[in-house]
Every structure is written in C-alpha cells, then in structure tokens.
Amino acid sequence: MATRRFGVAACLLAAAGLLLSVAANAAPDETSIAANDARIVRMGRSVSGADGAVRFGYPGVSFHVSFEGSRLAVEAQASGANSYFDVMVDGGPARKLRLAPGVQTLALAQDLKPGRHTVEIVNRSETWHGTARLRRFYTDGAWLAAPPLPMRKMLVLGDSVTCGEAIDRVPGAVKDPSWWNARASYGMQLARALQAQVQLVCAGGRGLVRSWDNRSDTLNLPDFYQLAIADQAAPVAWRQRDYQSDLVLVAIGTNDFSPGIPPREQYVGAYVRLVRTLLADHPQAQIVLTEGALLTGEKKAALVEYLGETRRRVADARVHLVASQAYPGDAQDGHPTRAQTDAIANDLLAPVRAIMHW
C-alpha cells in the first residue's frame, strides 16, 4: 500500500567524489511504497522482510521502478560503509552512489519532465563489503508497474572475476570497493546480449573446495550457492525453486589452485556432486563449465583435465565444457581489466548461443 510522507530531513551523502543531495522537505502529496511492492521488479537473490524491506548482498541485484512524477527517492540502509549502487534514469548513464551505514533517504531522480519514468538500481558490491536493505520508495506522482524481466533465465556461479572486481580501477589510486562493477561483469554482459535475466552468485577469494588462502572452513561455492545472503555469521537460505534457470554457467577454480594443484579425486568428486546438485535443482537448464580467465600453465591444464573428468563421470547431455582464454589483468591489479572483461563475455557468447540455440 502507498503511504504519504511529510517533512523528510535533508542530508548529504558522499558518493564517488560527488555530493549527492538527499530528498528534503517532501511535498505533502508525496507517496511511498514498500521495496517489496509487486510494482517493483527485482532481479537477483534477495530477502523480503515482514516490514516490506528487501535485503541483499550479491552483486548485480537489481530493482526496476516505474512512475509518473518529477522525482524518486528511496529509504535505504547498509550494514557497512562499502556498498555501492549504480542508478540509471530512463536508460541514461549510470550514476555511482555510495550507501553509508544507517538509515538514509537517497535522491535517485529529481527535476524530471512530466510523463512516465523508469529508474534502475543495480548493486555493484559483494556481500563481504556489506549487505544492503531498501525499505521504501517515494515519489510526488503515481506508481506504475515496471516492465517485466526477460523470460530467459541465467545463473552465473563464480569468484571475484564473476563479481566484477577491479573492473573500474583508477590508475595510480589505492584499490577500494568502488572499483567493483557488476553491470560490466561478463555475466551481466552475456545476459544483456542473450536477452536474459541473470543471477550472479559469486564470492571473491572462494573456490570449489577451498579459498585462495587454503581455507575450507569458509563459505565456498557449494555452500554459498545455497544462500540468498552469503554471510558466514548469519547466512540466509535460498529456495532454488524460486528461480529455475535455463542456463547455469560455472566459472570456479582459480582460488582452489592458488595454494597449488588440489588432489584430483578430492576435486573431481566435489565437482561431480555440485554438478549433480545443479542438474537436480534446475531440471530444464544446460550446465556450462569453464576454467575461468586467470589460470595459466600447469594449473590451467590440470583444471581443464578435472573438468573433463567431471563431465565424463556425470555423463549427462546437459553438461557442457567451454574453454576460456587467459586474461591476467595488468600491472596494477591481477583481475581482468574492463577491456579484458568485455573479451571474456565475447569469448563465451558464441559457444553459449550454440548450446542454448538463443
């Protein structure tokens, strides 16, 4: 139900070097709806609360809001200081916005011309940067139903490369969370090219059986695949039936191989179990396995061989292998650059189209 808001206090929020003004002195005719209202279209894994708020952590989680009015604001909350969003108004360029800790009301669009407008919000950050919560949206006009998402559904499972780490690196600067860019990730690029919706289910530094620093007591892929909020201290389960994928792309292994090549039987056995779980959870999906963009040499060769053995043991026609080119980043950061990320998406596009007949 829409509600009215009166006299919202003004504040300022620093975002990517800019000062973004927060909605202030709201007009008496301003109305609001909860973030989980049916007129707001959401993409990605999230959790809806009894109060109407929507909480999320994975990169790429998106909200699409349509309205007739001159402005749009959102009441939001972050668990830390490192959550970033992209905001696009009427399909225009993205504005990067930093969500500070605590509850705040952020101006998403202001001084718009009369007529219908659509605003898209996309989470740039990873869960370990902090979770975010959108509570209510506000406008001075009328709420409309947002356009529906594409019918095709993709699920992309992976590590920091899948999450879009360091795509927006700044030459000469110290690395910070503003460098992550889910919208520019290869998974979201593929989804746009294939006219599909997508979930990015990824965690930097994690692998199939161990993390980059050789830990198996953290949430690795078989664990966080099962979660809506991949918080080790307070995980929230995800119901796989709520999102039945047509395509599941798995790009994992770089962090498993960081301490050295893992034992073959341990690794292949874990991968076989994961793939069988994916086949059962997504009975209409094609499963694509790839070694990812960072490994080279004997480590890459070993992972490719492990993937081949996994496919042989699973013995299901819905499981496919797609080779990856190596894109080792640059002197500033070991993650793929924006141009290299574009190349990863382009490399995957043709074989995925052939598999899916899309």
Side-chain angles (χ1 to χ4, degrees):
M1 179 187 301
T3 60
R4 298 191 182 279
R5 179 183 66 157
F6 299 88
V8 175
C11 64
L12 293 174
L13 179 69
L18 300 175
L19 285 179
L20 298 179
S21 173
V22 176
N25 301 320
D29 62 349
E30 191 171 61
T31 65
S32 74
I33 56 174
N36 70 351
D37 190 278
R39 287 164 289 187
I40 297 172
V41 172
R42 305 199 307 268
M43 183 179 76
R45 294 189 177 184
S46 60
V47 180
S48 181
D51 61 352
V54 177
R55 181 172 174 244
F56 52 95
Y58 284 120
V61 174
S62 307
F63 296 75
H64 301 257
V65 186
S66 292
F67 63 100
E68 285 184 347
S70 67
R71 61 183 182 269
L72 181 73
V74 66
E75 185 179 80
Q77 185 176 4
S79 67
N82 294 315
S83 291
Y84 285 81
F85 298 160
D86 276 335
V87 179
M88 286 74 65
V89 179
D90 295 331
R95 180 181 58 163
K96 183 164 57 179
L97 184 154
R98 178 172 174 244
L99 183 59
V103 178
Q104 64 244 236
T105 303
L106 311 178
L108 302 176
Q110 300 182 91
D111 303 322
L112 301 177
K113 294 181 179 179
R116 179 186 181 121
H117 300 284
T118 300
V119 172
E120 181 182 1
I121 302 169
V122 180
N123 186 31
R124 295 175 62 101
S125 306
E126 288 193 56
T127 306
W128 67 268
H129 291 134
T131 61
R133 190 188 311 266
L134 301 190
R135 298 160 65 98
R136 300 195 71 83
F137 287 90
Y138 299 86
T139 187
D140 60 345
W143 299 104
L144 305 172
L149 296 172
M151 294 296 293
R152 296 168 177 170
K153 294 181 179 179
M154 291 175 51
L155 172 62
V156 184
L157 309 177
D159 50 33
S160 57
V161 177
T162 298
C163 288
E165 179 171 344
I167 288 177
D168 282 354
R169 66 197 68 186
V170 179
V174 176
K175 189 173 185 176
D176 70 60
S178 70
W179 291 14
W180 273 246
N181 187 344
R183 287 178 57 252
S185 70
Y186 71 85
M188 295 200 84
Q189 288 194 54
L190 270 178
R192 289 191 292 270
L194 294 169
Q195 297 181 333
Q197 54 181 294
V198 66
Q199 288 187 351
L200 302 183
V201 176
C202 53
R206 306 300 170 84
L208 178 72
V209 300
R210 63 186 181 183
S211 60
W212 70 274
D213 54 355
N214 201 25
R215 292 182 60 185
S216 58
D217 59 346
T218 57
L219 296 175
N220 286 303
L221 178 55
D223 308 305
F224 65 76
Y225 161 71
Q226 302 290 353
L227 300 177
I229 305 291
D231 182 341
Q232 182 111 10
V236 180
W238 171 256
R239 297 189 306 179
Q240 302 296 342
R241 64 179 180 271
D242 288 347
Y243 185 84
Q244 290 291 289
S245 303
D246 301 300
L247 166 66
V248 180
L249 175 64
V250 187
I252 201 72
T254 296
N255 295 301
D256 296 287
F257 283 69
S258 180
I261 297 175
R264 186 176 190 272
E265 286 307 308
Q266 176 200 28
Y267 200 80
V268 172
Y271 223 134
V272 167
R273 290 190 293 274
L274 173 66
V275 172
R276 286 176 175 161
T277 298
L278 296 174
L279 289 168
D281 287 344
H282 304 275
Q284 68 187 31
Q286 302 295 314
I287 314 297
V288 174
L289 312 180
T290 186
E291 72 270 22
L294 296 185
L295 291 180
T296 57
E298 63 177 1
K299 290 182 177 181
K300 179 184 179 73
L303 179 54
V304 169
E305 196 275 324
Y306 289 3
L307 293 179
E309 178 62 12
T310 297
R311 186 190 185 199
R312 187 189 70 79
R313 293 189 190 181
V314 173
D316 192 298
R318 290 195 287 135
V319 180
H320 311 267
L321 302 182
V322 172
S324 291
Q325 300 295 319
Y327 294 100
D330 57 16
Q332 185 176 19
D333 194 278
H335 291 86
T337 64
R338 180 180 283 265
Q340 290 171 349
T341 302
D342 294 347
I344 294 169
N346 189 60
D347 290 345
L348 291 170
L349 183 57
V352 168
R353 278 195 194 278
I355 291 167
M356 301 302 301
H357 306 289
W358 283 353

